[in-house]
Amino acid sequence: MTNARITVALSNDFFKAYDKLSGKARAKVAAFISKFRHNPRSPGLNYEHIEAAKDPMLRSIRVDQDVRCIVRAPDEGNTYVLLWIDKHDDAYQWARRKTCHVNRVSGALQLVDVEAAETAVSDGSSTAAQAGRDEAQASADSLFASCDDDQLMLLGVPQALLPAVRAVNSEAALARLIDWVPQDCVDGLILLAEGRSIEAVIEALERTCPAVAIDPDDVAKALETPESKATFLVISDDDVLEAMLSAPLEQWRVFLHPSQRRLVERDWNGPVRVLGGAGTGKTVVAMHRARWLAAGLIRQGEQGRILFTTFTRNLATDIRSNLTKICSPEELQRIEVVHLDGWVMNFLKGQGLPVRVFNKEHRKASWDLAMDMADTSPGLDRRFYEEEWKDVVLANGCRSHDDYLKARRVGRGTRLSRQQRARIWPVFDALRAEFRQRGLWEPEEARQVVADLLRESGRSALFAAVVVDEAQDLDLASFTLIRALAGEPHANDLFIVGDPHQRIYGKPVVLGRCGIEIRGRSRKLRINYRTTEETRAWATSVLHGIEFDDLDGGSDPCSDYRSLLHGDAPLIQAFEDRSEEQRFLVDLLKQIKVEQKTLASTCVTARTNAAVESLFSLLQREGIHGRVINADEADDPSDSSLRLATMHRVKGLEFDLVIIPGLDVNQLPLKDELDRRPDQVSKELFEQQERSLLHVAATRAKTRVVVSYSGKASPFLA
């Protein structure tokens, strides 16, 4: 039997089960898979039928005396799917509950646990889709009563789960069910439960019936669909298999949800904007998109490069590290990963312009000289000028007196007439001149200047495409520059991902005003793969009552995304005094160290650098070794130490447990910063950013969040 005639695929469940095997057992698996791929009908594999199995196509095969692999083995044909690997009895128990069939409408291969899904919907009160219940009444009460079977199956619902899906009559039942349905149908069920029509959902998710009739026995064809690729990996590359076996939980490297894969592997006719809540895989999609674009350039023999950029330096560092896990050396050479301001400063230096690092002394000296130009008649102090410069001049890209006269001053408490603005402007003119003389650049100004230089030069685009992560934190000047970097609009030019609910810097921007037209190319990710539903719901409640934009003048609700994971609800602990709270933190960390033997997957985060340093010193005194993750460095997964970082720095990272101590009324919103805001509008904007910051910190946790405070709690905890 030759390899050319055989197709072998592994499910994502196989890799999860493999990770739990002992080291000795795992060492045998690679040899077993190699042997299986060479001859899946070798007598030494010892195929056995599984008694009382729901799916007669499932078999057990021997890995060694103790370990069995569950495989979907055809009676005819040469397509085999390895589904699970475990100790003998546990493997059989797992297999008895599962079915693995091709969806006759969508064409995807689907692995399901029918009994678990039915039990979840009934909340454990019965099985078999509430066998005693009147079917007509169940259908009438269903959230999906308006859909016929084929419509639901087109969305990805397996035929075997239709009774369980039709039994869903509440949001709570749906939340329980989505743990057990294939991932490719979760989006559709969420949107239907929100009240959208089945026709609108099918259109939004770009589901179409296959052009030819589905052959339910053609598993090889089924494995080619985007839906199947989200769950099954066809082994055609030994290097990919070896990489997955060496790090089986890093499934993001090969398994993409169908909605993600459709975004990545597609020629778009212009800029694309992708929204998604925390943990929905936006950055993963962006990285795979960059790789796909780079591979396309190489395949087509083109010389262009891809820019992957984001707002903060630390995120760029993390992304650069992760790209090495999915890209070939040749692909990596085609991708430049850098935070936007870093690229801008390097460009200015390359143009021969003086560029110095900003510091407090330089800024103060420049302002001292500029304020000598101030007209005293308006009666405005220096603090007013500094805030006007930041919130109006820089935010609106004012280059001239006329620009300033027309600029919007939303959030500024003091009203100014045109005459007053005219008297104020000379200070800003003088400040800018002083900055240039010293080689100093405000980031906003530097971006504007570079965008101008690129447009005026008449040169072709510097990059074949630009991929933007964390787009919600970029400003008007950033997107104007990004448009210039990619040149005139063309196919596959811009790929922009973000989540306005995680905006912790800056203000909303309308992409259309920056020359970036996304109409018809806006998409959303709705499935959270990192955070438990309990943590997601709590973190989202922190944002309750706030309306968020969609980066293009519309709104983006957070009600239409869910987590596939479940766990303990966040723990909120109140203490009378700081010492009692600190003792709780120390005891908790010591307990985790005893139970898990390591603190590497635990992070303690706080609002300010000073608070992080204080916590670091406390824990050091208590014999708990920690590592502070600074802004300009990537995390080191091999380090077994406890992680400590600011709430800003943890963005882009993930941990099993996130602990947020000291969350009192002075820390969030940060009182010193809040008191600096000149009016109610700017205070509300700052409070919204602070709520988003807590939302970001909490959603870094994969299993649980622990929050504590002493004295009066932050109002965000109410």
Side-chain angles (χ1 to χ4, degrees):
M1 189 171 290
T2 64
N3 286 344
R5 298 176 53 201
I6 300 168
T7 297
V8 176
L10 279 71
S11 76
N12 56 357
D13 281 349
F14 179 94
F15 290 108
K16 294 174 185 176
Y18 165 81
D19 184 66
K20 296 178 180 178
L21 295 176
S22 68
K24 183 178 180 180
R26 287 175 59 168
K28 298 179 180 180
V29 172
F32 157 75
I33 295 176
S34 177
K35 178 181 178 182
F36 185 87
R37 290 178 65 196
H38 177 70
N39 183 4
R41 289 296 181 182
S42 170
L45 292 173
N46 191 30
Y47 277 82
E48 293 183 0
H49 286 272
I50 298 166
E51 186 179 351
K54 291 183 178 295
D55 187 344
M57 301 292 286
L58 301 191
R59 302 284 189 273
S60 163
I61 52 179
R62 178 183 295 164
V63 177
D64 64 14
Q65 286 298 110
D66 297 322
V67 177
R68 296 293 184 272
C69 176
I70 304 301
V71 59
R72 187 191 191 280
D75 293 328
E76 296 181 2
N78 290 314
T79 300
Y80 298 82
V81 188
L82 306 184
L83 301 173
W84 189 257
I85 192 163
D86 210 335
K87 292 183 178 180
H88 182 283
D89 292 349
D90 294 332
Y92 274 72
Q93 183 178 357
W94 181 92
R96 289 189 185 100
R97 299 168 60 94
K98 301 297 189 293
T99 64
C100 186
H101 295 293
V102 176
N103 184 311
R104 64 172 175 78
V105 179
S106 73
L109 183 66
Q110 298 177 316
L111 177 65
V112 298
D113 186 327
V114 179
E115 183 178 334
E118 292 172 341
T119 302
V121 172
S122 63
D123 200 18
S125 59
S126 63
T127 58
Q130 297 185 355
R133 183 179 177 187
D134 180 77
E135 291 187 7
Q137 183 60 44
S139 178
D141 292 344
S142 173
L143 294 180
F144 314 112
S146 63
C147 309
D148 64 36
D149 286 354
D150 280 7
Q151 288 172 327
L152 288 174
M153 291 183 70
L154 180 60
L155 291 181
V157 176
Q159 185 165 6
L161 291 188
L162 286 171
V165 169
R166 292 205 176 280
V168 172
N169 57 11
S170 67
E171 279 282 341
L174 176 60
R176 295 191 297 270
L177 176 68
I178 61 176
D179 289 346
W180 301 103
V181 298
Q183 289 185 15
D184 59 289
C185 71
V186 172
D187 275 358
L189 296 180
I190 290 173
L191 294 177
L192 286 172
E194 281 203 326
R196 304 193 196 189
S197 69
I198 181 62
E199 293 79 11
V201 172
I202 289 173
E203 181 181 2
L205 299 181
E206 301 179 291
R207 301 297 175 90
T208 56
C209 291
V212 296
I214 300 297
D215 179 358
D217 296 323
D218 192 347
V219 176
K221 184 69 174 177
L223 287 168
E224 297 175 2
T225 66
E227 290 77 15
S228 297
K229 290 178 180 179
T231 307
F232 301 98
L233 173 66
V234 176
I235 302 301
S236 58
D237 188 321
D238 289 337
D239 290 339
V240 171
L241 175 61
E242 183 180 351
M244 285 301 297
L245 292 177
S246 65
L249 296 186
E250 291 190 347
Q251 298 197 8
W252 62 270
R253 297 184 300 182
V254 296
F255 293 111
L256 292 176
H257 186 275
S259 61
Q260 296 175 331
R261 192 173 295 278
R262 288 188 178 96
L263 291 169
V264 170
E265 299 175 357
R266 174 172 176 174
D267 284 309
W268 297 89
N269 62 1
V272 180
R273 182 216 60 195
V274 179
L275 300 180
T280 54
K282 299 182 299 300
T283 300
V284 168
V285 166
M287 288 191 292
H288 279 274
R289 178 65 176 175
R291 176 181 181 269
W292 188 84
L293 290 169
L297 293 175
I298 296 168
R299 187 170 56 252
Q300 295 160 20
E302 298 181 11
Q303 296 302 311
R305 302 184 72 226
I306 310 301
L307 175 65
F308 193 123
T309 191
T310 187
F311 181 69
T312 60
R313 182 168 51 244
N314 57 273
L315 282 175
T317 301
D318 297 335
I319 289 164
R320 190 180 301 108
S321 174
N322 281 325
L323 276 172
T324 63
K325 300 176 181 179
I326 63 172
C327 294
S328 69
E330 190 177 8
E331 289 165 347
L332 280 174
Q333 289 178 358
R334 294 297 190 99
I335 304 172
E336 181 175 349
V337 184
V338 61
H339 76 289
L340 195 59
D341 288 336
W343 188 91
V344 166
M345 290 305 168
N346 288 334
F347 181 86
L348 289 174
K349 291 177 183 177
Q351 299 300 302
L353 295 171
V355 178
R356 296 175 62 191
V357 177
F358 241 127
N359 61 37
K360 292 181 180 179
E361 290 73 21
H362 294 152
R363 184 180 293 277
K364 180 180 182 302
S366 298
W367 269 104
D368 288 344
L369 290 171
M371 287 302 296
D372 289 340
M373 302 291 297
D375 184 337
T376 58
S377 61
L380 303 171
D381 61 15
R382 176 162 170 165
R383 177 174 170 180
F384 173 88
Y385 278 94
E386 291 176 346
E387 291 171 348
E388 186 79 357
W389 168 255
K390 177 182 177 182
D391 295 338
V392 180
V393 178
L394 294 179
N396 289 285
C398 298
R399 321 280 188 90
S400 66
H401 170 271
D402 289 342
D403 289 342
Y404 181 54
L405 292 182
K406 293 181 291 187
R408 300 180 66 205
R409 300 182 64 256
V410 177
R412 300 291 290 146
T414 305
R415 288 177 173 270
L416 296 177
S417 66
R418 287 178 62 86
Q419 291 77 12
Q420 287 174 314
R421 291 199 201 193
R423 295 191 188 107
I424 287 171
W425 179 255
V427 172
F428 302 139
D429 237 352
L431 179 66
R432 183 173 279 132
E434 186 62 29
F435 280 165
R436 292 299 85 79
Q437 185 172 344
R438 294 171 178 265
L440 304 176
W441 298 82
E442 293 280 20
E444 297 89 341
E445 285 193 290
R447 297 172 208 140
Q448 290 174 338
V449 168
V450 172
D452 289 345
L453 289 172
L454 293 176
R455 284 195 297 263
E456 293 166 1
S457 69
R459 71 173 77 184
S460 59
L462 293 186
F463 295 95
V466 180
V467 177
V468 183
D469 193 22
E470 301 292 354
Q472 73 279 352
D473 287 324
L474 298 178
D475 62 5
L476 180 72
S478 298
F479 283 113
T480 302
L481 171 59
I482 287 166
R483 175 69 278 170
L485 288 170
E488 293 299 317
H490 60 275
N492 297 325
D493 54 351
L494 300 176
F495 193 83
I496 300 166
V497 304
D499 177 15
H501 302 90
Q502 297 187 66
R503 181 180 289 114
I504 58 178
Y505 307 99
K507 300 176 181 178
V509 172
V510 177
L511 291 175
R513 295 176 185 169
C514 308
I516 300 174
E517 178 56 62
I518 60 171
R519 189 175 306 165
R521 294 181 298 276
S522 301
R523 299 294 186 271
K524 188 169 186 179
L525 301 172
R526 296 180 176 85
I527 303 175
N528 184 321
Y529 301 95
R530 177 179 65 229
T531 304
T532 66
E533 178 63 12
E534 291 75 14
T535 295
R536 184 209 64 80
W538 181 82
T540 300
S541 72
V542 171
L543 307 176
H544 179 70
I546 303 173
E547 184 172 336
F548 290 87
D549 67 286
D550 67 351
L551 304 181
D552 203 43
S555 61
D556 178 37
C558 57
S559 59
D560 59 349
Y561 97 107
R562 302 286 191 281
S563 174
L564 299 180
L565 309 172
H566 285 280
D568 295 328
L571 175 64
I572 315 296
Q573 290 284 90
F575 298 94
E576 292 294 328
D577 57 59
R578 181 69 58 84
S579 61
E580 186 182 2
E581 182 186 6
Q582 291 176 343
R583 176 46 51 193
F584 164 77
L585 174 63
V586 170
D587 291 346
L588 175 62
L589 291 172
K590 288 183 176 180
Q591 178 184 347
I592 296 170
K593 181 69 178 293
V594 169
E595 294 174 352
Q596 300 183 7
K597 312 303 182 186
T598 179
L599 291 172
S601 60
T602 299
C603 180
V604 176
T605 183
R607 175 63 180 83
T608 65
N609 283 306
V612 169
E613 291 300 328
S614 177
L615 288 165
F616 176 79
S617 298
L618 165 70
L619 297 176
Q620 286 287 92
R621 293 194 300 270
E622 294 288 341
I624 299 174
H625 182 60
R627 173 173 176 261
V628 176
I629 308 175
N630 295 312
D632 57 351
E633 63 180 352
D635 189 21
D636 179 6
S638 65
D639 191 334
S640 62
S641 306
L642 170 75
R643 280 19 176 213
L644 296 98
T646 65
M647 295 168 74
H648 286 85
R649 177 59 187 94
V650 295
K651 191 171 189 177
L653 302 177
E654 58 182 50
F655 308 92
D656 287 343
L657 173 65
V658 171
I659 305 172
I660 313 176
L663 209 61
D664 60 40
V665 69
N666 293 315
Q667 286 294 304
L668 216 67
L670 192 61
K671 187 176 186 303
D672 291 345
E673 286 294 323
L674 184 64
D675 290 344
R676 284 173 48 86
R677 307 292 155 160
D679 59 81
Q680 188 59 32
V681 174
S682 59
K683 288 181 185 294
E684 289 175 358
L685 175 61
F686 179 70
E687 286 191 351
Q688 178 173 325
Q689 291 176 331
E690 294 284 273
R691 285 184 181 273
S692 290
L693 187 59
L694 178 56
H695 175 82
V696 166
T699 52
R700 301 308 97 192
K702 292 188 290 186
T703 57
R704 200 179 194 194
V705 175
V706 175
V707 176
S708 67
Y709 65 91
S710 53
K712 190 174 182 180
S714 162
F716 301 166
L717 299 181

